[in-house]
Amino acid sequence: MASRSERDTPRRVSLALPDGPLRRKLLDVLEGTDVDVELLDESSSIQASIQQDPSHNGVIVVHTDDLDEAQLDALVEAGEDQRFAVIGEDDPGRRARLIAAGASQVLSGEDRPGELGEALEALADQPSGMARGPEIRGSEASPSLADFLTRSPRMRAFVDIVRRVVDVDTSLLITGPTGVGKERLARAIHAEGPRSDQPFVAVNCGALPESLLESELFGHEKGAFTGADRARKGQFELASGGIIFLDEIGEMPTHLQVKLLTVLQRHEVTPIGGQQPIAVDVRVIAATNRDLHAEVERGKFREDLFYRLNVLPLEIPALSTRPDDIVDLAGRFIAHFREAMPESRVESISDDAVGALMRYAWPGNIRELINVIERAMVLGRTRAIGLADLPPAIRGTPDTTTDDVPTTVDTSRDY
């Protein structure tokens, strides 16, 4: 975490909580940090505090019991960079609406004070609210493991494991169904690891024909094949010093798997048509939605390569196994599209729609959820997304709509 000298402005948290055990415990937790703490004795002080300091750069913390519509409006109208957190909210529908309204975090009443303090300290370090949707900012955005904030115990345990392997310079195999964020995770590992100032190169092994994939990965010499009018460096050489991300590794042809195993064992590549190997220093992160162990048994994937890649396996849980995250992500995507689609009337989501989202199986995972929320923002004619704004498969009714809005998953997303 950055020191104060490395930041332009101090970290600041304003506690709009009544004097009581929770406020005192949070003060104890934050006392050992460099976070400036301001006490607002009553939630009614929020609006006055913002009016006195419109450039308020900290996090305003309120309790859900004290948050009425006027207070919420005051926070949202304070500006797009204003961050506020709500403590003690467990109702799924209200959680989604609060996050859609701009809350940077909605913290459960079940969280322990120490966990709340850590969350607030981390939130105070962020230059803007989480509602901007790190999942849909695109590959040019700065990735972070904080993008994987979650309420799911299973997902929290997974992120803890990831944090332990960030600095370990060995191969990683990221697995999980389509749309869970495998490339986003690889980029976050690169950004927070010791190779962050070196290249990150991504190659989709299933998107290129076999004849081009070998040249793309390992390069070629001039005249190596018809059309090779000049020498070309491969992605392994271009990634040297950094990380190469091999997506859809299960699609790689067997003879290229042999060459990849050689790279992993000897740390060198030989371009097509080349005579001398070229040394490369690269960390390999591979990803697949296939069961590679089953592929090995069928003879479709080399066993020695599988065990070389599978030193530190990371399986991202499917969205259907963490329904609480569905609520928070839906709220964050609504907040994002409110900015991206100023012409949309949608500002929130109904309890019925939240219930339908939580019951749905999400075969396309987070990528599908993004598309569903975007679709609802386009179709919505009221302030809140309702059941009628969701695709038939999610609301559980036959498709009787006549609109032309696509309901398929957009695979171009950074997921």
Side-chain angles (χ1 to χ4, degrees):
M1 191 168 291
S3 64
R4 173 168 297 188
S5 62
E6 297 173 316
R7 292 188 298 268
D8 295 333
T9 56
R11 295 187 294 173
R12 177 176 169 189
V13 170
S14 297
L15 299 178
L17 303 173
D19 188 14
L22 178 59
R23 190 174 82 169
R24 288 193 292 271
K25 288 178 180 179
L26 287 177
L27 284 172
D28 289 341
V29 171
L30 294 172
E31 184 178 1
T33 71
D34 65 348
V35 176
D36 292 337
V37 180
E38 175 189 17
L39 295 180
L40 302 178
D41 291 334
E42 299 178 359
S43 292
S44 58
S45 304
I46 296 174
Q47 190 167 4
S49 175
I50 294 174
Q51 289 173 344
Q52 293 171 5
D53 181 11
S55 62
H56 190 291
N57 56 37
V59 183
I60 296 177
V61 182
V62 298
H63 196 280
T64 185
D65 292 343
D66 301 318
L67 186 65
D68 58 27
E69 292 300 320
Q71 301 302 333
L72 181 58
D73 289 342
L75 290 170
V76 175
E77 292 172 3
E80 63 177 10
D81 292 326
Q82 178 59 60
R83 290 162 292 156
F84 69 99
V86 179
I87 292 178
E89 186 57 68
D90 294 301
D91 177 75
R94 187 165 166 86
R95 284 183 62 87
R97 288 193 292 276
L98 286 167
I99 296 174
S104 299
Q105 275 196 38
V106 180
L107 302 164
S108 171
E110 298 177 357
D111 291 327
R112 293 187 293 272
E115 294 174 343
L116 294 174
E118 291 176 3
L120 295 179
E121 186 181 0
L123 187 58
D125 231 1
Q126 297 167 0
S128 61
M130 291 300 296
R132 299 193 181 284
E135 296 81 2
I136 44 182
R137 291 187 311 234
S139 59
E140 76 283 354
S142 298
S144 169
L145 290 179
D147 291 353
F148 292 84
L149 287 174
T150 177
R151 300 182 68 222
S152 162
R154 183 179 177 187
M155 190 65 177
R156 286 182 179 182
F158 172 77
V159 174
D160 286 342
I161 292 174
V162 174
R163 292 190 186 281
R164 297 207 298 270
V165 305
V166 164
D167 296 329
V168 180
D169 203 27
T170 190
S171 301
L172 298 175
L173 179 62
I174 302 175
T175 60
T178 298
V180 289
K182 294 186 284 293
E183 181 171 348
R184 172 65 62 180
L185 179 62
R187 291 182 180 276
I189 291 171
H190 170 255
E192 299 200 7
R195 296 176 181 258
S196 60
D197 59 344
Q198 298 298 317
F200 179 93
V201 174
V203 179
N204 189 322
C205 299
L208 293 172
E210 181 178 337
S211 58
L212 295 180
L213 181 58
E214 183 174 7
S215 175
E216 182 73 12
L217 290 174
F218 309 112
H220 63 257
E221 297 293 345
K222 181 178 179 180
F225 49 83
T226 303
D229 55 355
R230 60 185 178 86
R232 184 180 186 275
K233 292 182 178 181
Q235 297 297 342
F236 268 98
E237 190 174 353
L238 294 173
S240 190
I243 287 177
I244 188 168
F245 174 65
L246 302 177
D247 200 6
E248 304 296 348
I249 188 69
E251 305 290 338
M252 180 176 285
T254 305
H255 79 279
L256 294 187
Q257 294 176 27
V258 176
K259 294 195 70 170
L260 175 58
L261 183 62
T262 300
V263 175
L264 293 173
Q265 291 174 335
R266 301 180 184 176
H267 307 288
E268 61 185 27
V269 297
T270 302
I272 300 174
Q275 301 299 319
Q276 297 297 323
I278 300 171
V280 291
D281 171 24
V282 62
R283 184 181 191 184
V284 175
I285 300 180
T288 182
N289 58 10
R290 292 190 177 190
D291 182 348
L292 287 190
H293 191 272
E295 294 291 288
V296 169
E297 293 181 344
R298 286 196 290 267
K300 300 293 186 180
F301 200 83
R302 289 184 63 93
E303 184 176 26
D304 48 4
L305 178 58
F306 171 70
Y307 287 116
R308 173 68 71 166
L309 291 172
N310 202 42
V311 176
L312 293 172
L314 300 172
E315 182 178 3
I316 305 179
L319 185 58
S320 60
T321 66
R322 38 192 176 107
D324 284 340
D325 287 352
I326 296 171
V327 173
D328 290 17
L329 288 169
R332 282 159 58 168
F333 298 152
I334 293 171
H336 168 85
F337 287 119
R338 284 178 61 194
E339 294 184 12
M341 300 178 182
E343 69 280 3
S344 175
R345 299 181 60 185
V346 177
E347 300 176 351
S348 186
I349 186 169
S350 71
D351 287 343
D352 287 344
V354 169
L357 295 181
M358 294 182 71
R359 290 190 297 270
Y360 184 59
W362 297 108
N365 290 282
I366 297 174
R367 185 188 291 146
E368 183 181 10
L369 177 58
I370 293 171
N371 287 1
V372 166
I373 296 300
E374 184 175 9
R375 176 187 189 275
M377 297 289 288
V378 172
L379 291 179
R381 293 179 173 84
T382 62
R383 292 185 61 185
I385 294 173
L387 277 176
D389 302 318
L390 300 178
I394 295 179
R395 64 176 184 259
T397 59
D399 187 359
T400 58
T401 62
T402 58
D403 61 75
D404 296 324
V405 179
T407 59
T408 55
V409 176
D410 178 3
T411 58
S412 66
R413 304 264 188 206
D414 184 24
Y415 259 78

